[in-house]
Amino acid sequence: MADQTQPWAERTVEVPPQPGAVPPQRDAFQRGVAAVGQPRPSRTPRTEQFPTVEHGDWAAEPAPRRPMGWHLTQARKGGELSAAGALFAFVCWGIWAISGRGNLVAPLLTFVLSLLTAVGLFALARLLGRLILERQFGRVRRSAKGAHLVTALFLVGVGVAYLQQTEWVVSAWNWVTGS
């Protein structure tokens, strides 16, 4: 019977040799020995150094400078999103401004400042896209749809804020929703 102190995977059962059978082989399992037909790994420690990589070695070459017209063409792609958001904000602003029945100078200044904020948000989204997508991930941007989408969402939010300040619109909304 096999020795019970050995792990179960190393226990062997002795089988008497049979005539005409395969001649006895060396024990197939030996701890720390590579499989038959494969080179035995070296047990000497590795003394050579791994190659070091400097920042300049893996950094991609900077993209060639492109003319300003190319950048403007890229920024126009997706502009319909910002235009739709601006149109929605303008209509909502108009409803709010007319409902005030007063001087339109202050509401006009408010709308112009909202549009300037949207332009700044667009520029910020483009800058973040350039830093993150182009420089960090090495991706080429072919349009400004993401920045236009962010701007459009902002302008829709501005339009909804104008509508929330209009008393009759809020009353009508509450009547429709039953609140």
Side-chain angles (χ1 to χ4, degrees):
M1 187 149 178
D3 184 14
Q4 296 297 330
T5 59
Q6 282 185 317
W8 68 270
E10 294 182 5
R11 293 183 199 149
T12 57
V13 177
E14 296 294 328
V15 178
Q18 297 181 1
V22 177
Q25 301 288 322
R26 258 185 1 164
D27 188 12
F29 181 80
Q30 291 181 3
R31 183 172 290 220
V33 178
V36 177
Q38 296 194 4
R40 190 172 186 174
S42 171
R43 297 198 187 252
T44 58
R46 183 180 178 123
T47 57
E48 63 196 58
Q49 292 290 325
F50 288 104
T52 57
V53 178
E54 297 297 324
H55 176 72
D57 294 342
W58 59 270
E61 292 294 320
R65 295 197 56 90
R66 296 191 169 104
M68 186 57 110
W70 183 86
H71 290 287
L72 290 176
T73 302
Q74 299 304 313
R76 286 187 191 119
K77 292 180 181 177
E80 64 275 0
L81 296 170
S82 290
L87 181 63
F88 181 79
F90 176 73
V91 169
C92 295
W93 169 82
I95 293 170
W96 172 71
I98 292 172
S99 295
R101 295 190 186 123
N103 190 1
L104 290 180
V105 174
L108 183 62
L109 183 62
T110 304
F111 185 67
V112 169
L113 288 175
S114 298
L115 289 179
L116 288 176
T117 304
V119 169
L121 183 64
F122 175 78
L124 181 65
R126 288 291 289 172
L127 176 66
L128 286 175
R130 178 168 176 81
L131 292 176
I132 294 171
L133 293 176
E134 286 184 3
R135 291 204 177 158
Q136 294 297 323
F137 296 138
R139 182 178 170 271
V140 176
R141 294 184 300 168
R142 292 178 179 80
S143 70
K145 287 183 181 177
H148 282 295
L149 180 64
V150 168
T151 305
L153 290 174
F154 170 76
L155 288 171
V156 166
V158 166
V160 169
Y162 284 135
L163 289 179
Q164 287 176 343
Q165 294 178 11
T166 309
E167 184 180 339
W168 67 268
V169 173
V170 173
S171 299
W173 178 258
N174 288 337
W175 180 77
V176 168
T177 59
S179 304

